């Protein structure tokens, strides 16, 4: 009896974990698709994005870079690490 309850609980936990991961992947895909539409990139590949970045001036590039940093930044903050330590590495 104990094993079946434990297996059921672990199975439910695994399903919830997969659902959370899938949700995050969909959100990120939607973000990247929005970037392609916003900047008028027709080729939906990293190469199309790279070509567009080469055409940008510094201000546009920094704006795009900030958007990507904000979206893909780690939400995990360790007490022992500071942003300055990471920047130096």
């Amino acid at each position: 009896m104990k094993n079946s309850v434990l297996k059921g609980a672990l199975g439910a936990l695994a399903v919830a974990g997969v659902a959370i991961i899938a949700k995050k992947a969909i959100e990120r895909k939607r973000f990247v698709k929005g970037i392609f539409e916003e900047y008028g990139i027709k080729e939906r590949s990293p190469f199309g994005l790279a070509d567009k970045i080469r055409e940008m001036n510094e201000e546009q590039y920094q704006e795009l870079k900030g958007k990507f940093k904000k979206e893909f930044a780690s939400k995990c903050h360790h007490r022992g690490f500071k942003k300055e330590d990471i920047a130096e590495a």
Side-chain angles (χ1 to χ4, degrees):
M1 181 76 177
K2 283 185 179 181
N3 283 341
S4 64
V5 173
L6 182 62
K7 286 180 184 178
L10 289 176
L13 186 62
V15 169
V18 168
I20 290 171
I21 292 170
K23 180 182 174 189
K24 189 67 174 175
I26 291 168
E27 288 174 359
R28 288 185 172 191
K29 184 176 180 179
R30 190 176 300 135
F31 168 77
V32 172
K33 185 177 180 182
I35 291 292
F36 281 120
E37 289 174 3
E38 181 180 345
Y39 288 96
I41 303 170
K42 293 180 178 149
E43 184 182 343
R44 306 273 183 196
S45 71
F47 300 109
L49 180 61
D51 289 341
K52 185 64 177 180
I53 289 173
R54 285 187 202 105
E55 296 171 2
M56 291 180 174
N57 62 27
E58 186 64 26
E59 183 180 319
Q60 292 171 328
Y61 173 70
Q62 291 302 327
E63 178 185 339
L64 179 65
K65 185 176 165 185
K67 288 179 184 178
F68 273 102
K69 272 189 173 182
K70 182 180 176 188
E71 179 66 24
F72 296 110
S74 174
K75 306 293 190 270
C76 179
H77 300 284
H78 298 283
R79 295 174 116 183
F81 295 112
K82 298 177 184 172
K83 288 185 178 181
E84 296 83 26
D85 295 337
I86 295 170
E88 292 174 5

